[in-house]
Amino acid sequence: MIVLESERLLFRSHEAADLEAFCAMEADAEVRRYVGGAPRMREAAEQRFWEGAMRPIEDRLVIWATVLKADGRYVGRCGLYPKFKEEGRVAGEAVLGFYLAREFWGQGFATEAGRAFLEFGFDELKLERIVTSVQVENTASVRVLEKLGFVIASHEVGPRSFYHFELYRPAGRAVGK
């Protein structure tokens, strides 16, 4: 199922054929550097794929397989997923995530995917706020989020420090536009 598309990308449900590319990303130390810090061994990556990426989709708030329109190659996974607090799911909010294979870095795909999901989130899902967190040292992702209009809402300092970003529905953008 294709949920969304942008100029160069399609966002769809994960398929069994995505397993090898998914596991390759999980094993790449540079890809994992700011999202957990260590490469995943094959067995753990496969488990994450089958139990996470391949689970049935109940609504459209999920991280989707991201593929090139031109040739169908798996680029990574991107999307919006539910925002939770201790008391449960936060209504009207979602979290933006993008996770791309290294060979696709520096080509504008994260920005393109982010724009597509911001429009999707505000216009189709009628969200009021989209948030995300990025490890402070991940300057490439910080730049992408700034290009998309996100602002830093807070800064968490610790063994791994994070910027917590937010973006509210732009003024004048009608709900369901």
Side-chain angles (χ1 to χ4, degrees):
M1 168 175 84
I2 295 172
V3 68
L4 186 65
E5 62 182 88
S6 63
E7 181 182 339
R8 300 175 292 166
L9 302 169
L10 293 174
F11 306 96
R12 60 160 172 76
S13 302
H14 278 84
E15 301 171 351
D18 299 328
L19 177 65
E20 290 306 315
F22 182 98
C23 289
M25 281 187 0
E26 292 291 296
D28 187 326
E30 279 302 300
V31 172
R32 298 277 309 146
R33 184 173 173 191
Y34 300 120
V35 291
R40 279 203 174 93
M41 301 305 289
R42 177 66 186 221
E43 183 177 323
E46 283 188 18
Q47 180 176 359
R48 185 169 176 85
F49 181 80
W50 294 113
E51 293 176 6
M54 290 294 289
R55 76 176 187 273
I57 297 168
E58 296 176 15
D59 61 23
R60 296 181 294 170
L61 283 176
V62 70
I63 299 295
W64 299 92
T66 302
V67 299
L68 292 177
K69 273 185 178 179
D71 60 13
R73 279 188 299 155
Y74 187 87
V75 170
R77 50 194 189 272
C78 305
L80 296 168
Y81 57 93
K83 168 99 165 76
F84 287 94
K85 287 190 174 177
E86 288 180 23
E87 53 276 2
R89 188 169 172 176
V90 179
E93 294 189 14
V95 181
L96 174 67
F98 47 88
Y99 189 79
L100 304 176
R102 191 174 355 164
E103 73 179 281
F104 300 105
W105 291 0
Q107 299 175 52
F109 291 122
T111 303
E112 183 176 330
R115 277 196 187 104
F117 279 102
L118 291 179
E119 288 179 19
F120 179 70
F122 290 132
D123 297 342
E124 287 193 43
L125 301 179
K126 301 177 177 90
L127 298 172
E128 290 299 322
R129 183 171 87 131
I130 297 173
V131 298
T132 194
S133 296
V134 175
Q135 194 168 326
V136 170
E137 296 83 6
N138 189 347
T139 56
S141 289
V142 168
R143 279 193 310 273
V144 167
L145 294 171
E146 289 171 341
K147 278 192 242 178
L148 294 172
F150 280 85
V151 295
I152 296 174
S154 66
H155 180 195
E156 175 186 340
V157 178
R160 291 177 59 212
S161 296
F162 292 89
Y163 291 128
H164 301 285
F165 286 89
E166 65 183 1
L167 181 63
Y168 284 88
R169 172 188 302 285
R173 191 178 203 141
V175 173
K177 174 188 158 235

